[in-house]
Amino acid sequence: MKYIRAFKDKSARQIMLGIAFFSLLLLLVIGVSLLLKALPIMKEKSLWALLSSGNWKPFKGEFGFLPYIISTLYVSLIAIIIALPLSLLSGIYLCTYASKTISRIFEPVIDLLSGIPPVIYGVWGTLTIVPLIANKIAPRYVEFSSGFSVLAGGLVLAIMILPLLISILLEVFRSLPKEITDASLSLGATKWQTVKKVMLRKSFPGIIAATVLSVSRAFGETIAVLMVCGNIPIIPHSLFDACYPLPALIANNYGEMLSMPNYESALMFGAFLLFIIIVIFNAISRLTLNQIEKRFSL
Amino acid sequence: MNNPGLAFVSDVFEDYHNKTILMKLPSYHTISIRNLNVYIENQHILQDINLTIPEKSITCIIGPSGCGKSTLLRTLNRMHDDTPEVKINGQVIVDDEDIYGVNVNVIDVRKKMGLLAQRPCPLPMSIFDNVAYGPRIHGLKKRKAINQTVIQYLQYVGLWDEVRGRVRNSASKLSIGQQQRLCLARGLAIEPEYILGDEATSALDPISTKKIEEMFVKLKEQYTIILVTHTLRQAKRIADYIVFMYLGKIIESGSTEEFFNNPKKQLTRDYLSGSFS
């Protein structure tokens, strides 16, 4: 009996280790297979040429990825700039000020929002945000904009990651020990003072982690962005220019025109790039997070 | 009876058992609780509490766990405000003002009370900023004045010499005992009139406990101190007055000497002899 228990314990441990290891392996397998597929074009052109050139002419065999990289970063940056303050404020409100009734109504709605399929956000963006930018916002700043632009992509993306961010931030705020806010309140601090000086500070690593998660999501978001950002491979110079993020490039072109030499390999290189961007981004933020935690010993 | 102060206060304690001549008390710098009832989700947690806390002395609230002593303490600085489940009836009169009155600002109430929690809870900032936190949120801006306040209170709690070179370091690196003294300094820095301690030494080692207890004895010269404790020995060591609670009611209260040597109620005698805890 004793031995059976010990054996079960041991084998459970081994099996779980195997499964955990498998997910690690999966990451490697995906990375390596993308790299293998991208190798033909990497052999033909230097890495630097692929990354720094703005020319995208598959017919002539010119593959410059700079517009795609910049578009991806640009759209995601705008999305997070819009979504982060909004979600912080609503998270704080729901967690500290809102009555039970209000949070009981809001929280399921937020969960529901994050469950709506991206294509619906895309259609909605095309029907409302794009005309809004073309007719109302863009004419104030530039001569012409079709509305299919960086700004439209950023806005739709912001709306999409907002519910995700809010629900993660709510978790972050709720996990703060109550004693610490009580300590501040009992000293006579107002709720807002407590939020500013204690809550935000204490949950800073959590806020960073939430941001990283939603930016990673933003990098990879495909269909909704593809529908509103214009898909022209140029380097966007203003918010109202069209752009063409990496996921949109792959989704739009994979399976078509694969007869062109190196085209498939170029697309795979794009996928590999996206993969690397997300890995590097996560690694950097993990490192900074460690630094922050050490520095402030939170 | 050679101590007039003590005689006076034991009169007071007798008074509110008769619940009659409460009004003749000099009410300045005292807390007097009248007909206080507290309900949490329809459970009657505190029942008909009538109590006057004598000034510049240590009053210990004792009783078995779950008897409502912490709830009573938190009622005194309105820490229940953010819990909508808690319903409070009755009056808590602090310095001639009912803190549950209509036009009372909760911040003013809390500024009068320095609360020391069960577990030391330093704010996520440096040692210096922890003590400076209270004065800063109440509007103190001058750097010199802040420095002075911080040093003064760190010295007061005997922490200054221990942390001198590292006041800018994070407060969470201090030992638990040091953290609790830091929290005391932080509470004192808002210049309260009352000090509330919610089992303030229960997480500490004996030496740190002793330091905090000594601090309380020193502090009662200037402050009115109310402590919740569940160690009878601690109450015996430092309290001037004891309030014994059981199941949400005050069973007996009086001066420490009388309470321990000559308890009037059977329930008190049972509690003191250890029949229940």
Side-chain angles (χ1 to χ4, degrees):
Chain A
M1 192 61 198
K2 211 160 106 193
Y3 296 108
I4 294 177
R5 271 203 328 179
F7 173 74
K8 275 185 182 166
D9 187 48
K10 225 176 196 171
S11 46
R13 182 195 147 132
Q14 299 295 347
I15 290 169
M16 284 186 279
L17 174 75
I19 292 170
F21 188 72
F22 179 70
S23 53
L24 189 75
L25 199 71
L26 216 52
L27 186 77
L28 277 176
V29 167
I30 292 174
V32 169
S33 56
L34 287 177
L35 184 64
L36 285 179
K37 286 274 188 185
L39 269 180
I41 193 154
M42 289 170 81
K43 270 181 194 152
E44 205 157 297
K45 305 234 158 94
S46 78
L47 194 61
W48 178 245
L50 286 170
L51 293 179
S52 67
S53 157
N55 285 329
W56 183 263
K57 286 169 189 138
F59 299 99
K60 293 182 184 167
E62 286 177 35
F63 300 100
F65 279 91
L66 194 60
Y68 301 103
I69 298 170
I70 291 192
S71 298
T72 302
L73 298 179
Y74 206 174
V75 171
S76 306
L77 184 74
I78 288 172
I80 199 72
I81 285 175
I82 297 170
L84 187 60
L86 292 180
S87 56
L88 266 179
L89 292 176
S90 30
I92 288 168
Y93 174 76
L94 286 176
C95 169
T96 46
Y97 291 90
S99 69
K100 275 225 169 109
T101 333
I102 290 185
S103 47
R104 218 173 276 158
I105 296 169
F106 271 76
E107 280 170 37
V109 173
I110 289 165
D111 287 342
L112 184 75
L113 274 178
S114 53
I116 293 179
V119 67
I120 295 182
Y121 283 102
V123 172
W124 177 78
T126 320
L127 294 177
T128 56
I129 302 227
V130 171
L132 182 77
I133 290 172
N135 303 327
K136 295 267 156 56
I137 303 174
R140 294 186 190 190
Y141 303 98
V142 290
E143 273 178 22
F144 172 76
S145 169
S146 65
F148 291 94
S149 55
V150 176
L151 185 61
L155 271 172
V156 168
L157 208 48
I159 293 165
M160 284 184 65
I161 60 175
L162 193 67
L164 177 76
L165 251 180
I166 293 177
S167 48
I168 306 175
L169 286 175
L170 269 177
E171 285 305 311
V172 170
F173 292 144
R174 296 230 161 104
S175 69
L176 289 182
K178 197 177 176 301
E179 288 93 20
I180 205 155
T181 41
D182 270 3
S184 169
L185 291 174
S186 75
L187 290 166
T190 59
K191 276 187 187 173
W192 182 234
Q193 281 172 325
T194 306
V195 165
K196 267 192 311 183
K197 302 192 172 185
V198 178
M199 251 175 77
L200 287 181
R201 223 185 157 109
K202 184 82 183 169
S203 52
F204 191 60
I207 295 171
I208 299 276
T211 312
V212 170
L213 211 64
S214 26
V215 171
S216 304
R217 164 93 195 272
F219 278 149
E221 182 46 50
T222 312
I223 196 77
V225 181
L226 174 155
M227 290 166 84
V228 297
C229 67
N231 301 334
I232 303 172
I234 49 162
I235 296 173
H237 291 289
S238 86
L239 283 175
F240 306 105
D241 284 346
C243 65
Y244 207 164
L246 278 168
L249 167 77
I250 301 161
N252 270 342
N253 297 304
Y254 191 76
E256 291 172 33
M257 304 192 288
L258 290 184
S259 54
M260 247 179 281
N262 279 341
Y263 198 73
E264 189 193 3
S265 178
L267 288 183
M268 284 303 128
F269 181 74
F272 183 66
L273 259 184
L274 190 62
F275 179 80
I276 291 294
I277 288 177
I278 290 174
V279 168
I280 289 178
F281 178 73
N282 273 280
I284 290 175
S285 34
R286 172 72 46 178
L287 288 177
T288 33
L289 213 60
N290 286 346
Q291 282 303 313
I292 290 167
E293 277 172 3
K294 239 185 244 163
R295 188 91 154 270
F296 297 97
S297 55
L298 292 165
Chain B
M1 284 300 152
N2 46 10
N3 185 342
L6 207 76
F8 158 71
V9 175
S10 58
D11 284 347
V12 172
F13 272 98
E14 254 153 45
D15 280 348
Y16 55 68
H17 273 291
N18 304 330
K19 292 184 191 172
T20 45
I21 21 181
L22 271 170
M23 288 312 289
K24 93 175 189 198
L25 296 170
S27 49
Y28 189 65
H29 276 306
T30 58
I31 297 176
S32 98
I33 301 166
R34 296 180 195 166
N35 302 321
L36 181 75
N37 283 284
V38 175
Y39 304 83
I40 302 179
E41 285 182 335
N42 298 325
Q43 262 190 305
H44 205 166
I45 302 293
L46 294 179
Q47 303 172 19
D48 295 317
I49 303 290
N50 281 281
L51 183 66
T52 298
I53 311 276
E55 72 170 325
K56 295 192 176 162
S57 57
I58 299 178
T59 304
C60 273
I61 305 174
I62 60 171
S65 16
C67 70
K69 41 192 201 305
S70 289
T71 308
L72 178 61
L73 197 77
R74 287 169 70 87
T75 315
L76 299 182
N77 68 344
R78 288 185 52 176
M79 287 306 279
H80 297 303
D81 280 21
D82 290 326
T83 355
E85 295 86 11
V86 181
K87 300 269 176 298
I88 295 168
N89 289 323
Q91 291 180 307
V92 176
I93 293 162
V94 176
D95 298 356
D96 279 337
E97 191 182 31
D98 180 10
I99 60 166
Y100 286 95
V102 199
N103 290 321
V104 176
N105 187 347
V106 65
I107 287 165
D108 297 333
V109 174
R110 287 179 186 158
K111 200 174 170 302
K112 277 185 196 167
M113 314 264 176
L115 177 72
L116 201 55
Q118 187 166 9
R119 218 175 274 274
C121 192
L123 299 171
M125 43 187 91
S126 71
I127 297 169
F128 185 94
D129 289 337
N130 258 280
V131 186
Y133 184 79
R136 276 185 184 142
I137 56 173
H138 293 297
L140 192 63
K141 287 220 170 68
K142 284 187 189 140
R143 188 179 284 243
K144 223 175 168 184
I146 292 176
N147 280 341
Q148 220 173 359
T149 314
V150 172
I151 295 172
Q152 181 191 337
Y153 287 106
L154 282 178
Q155 277 172 342
Y156 196 94
V157 299
L159 208 56
W160 177 244
D161 292 326
E162 293 167 39
V163 300
R164 199 168 193 154
R166 48 184 177 128
V167 284
R168 300 287 172 186
N169 290 8
S170 167
S172 56
K173 294 221 174 86
L174 296 174
S175 76
I176 299 286
Q178 288 174 322
Q179 285 185 11
Q180 192 63 313
R181 277 185 286 150
L182 177 70
C183 291
L184 185 60
R186 184 180 69 194
L188 293 176
I190 58 169
E191 297 177 344
E193 295 164 24
Y194 303 89
I195 295 170
L196 312 177
D198 188 358
E199 297 189 13
T201 58
S202 64
L204 305 184
D205 59 278
I207 293 170
S208 304
T209 303
K210 192 162 173 252
K211 277 186 184 160
I212 296 274
E213 284 181 3
E214 282 166 359
M215 214 79 74
F216 282 141
V217 174
K218 187 165 95 177
L219 284 166
K220 75 173 180 184
E221 289 166 17
Q222 291 173 55
Y223 303 89
T224 304
I225 302 175
I226 304 145
L227 303 176
V228 163
T229 177
H230 60 203
T231 47
L232 278 173
R233 261 177 295 165
Q234 181 174 54
K236 215 171 191 169
R237 278 197 298 267
I238 59 173
D240 298 304
Y241 306 101
I242 306 273
V243 176
F244 171 52
M245 290 180 70
Y246 185 66
L247 296 180
K249 286 184 190 144
I250 292 181
I251 305 299
E252 185 168 349
S253 55
S255 75
T256 307
E257 222 181 74
E258 238 183 71
F259 182 83
F260 281 106
N261 296 337
N262 192 14
K264 293 189 183 68
K265 299 272 169 69
Q266 185 56 41
L267 205 57
T268 317
R269 281 193 282 271
D270 290 348
Y271 184 66
L272 289 179
S273 67
S275 312
F276 63 95
S277 62

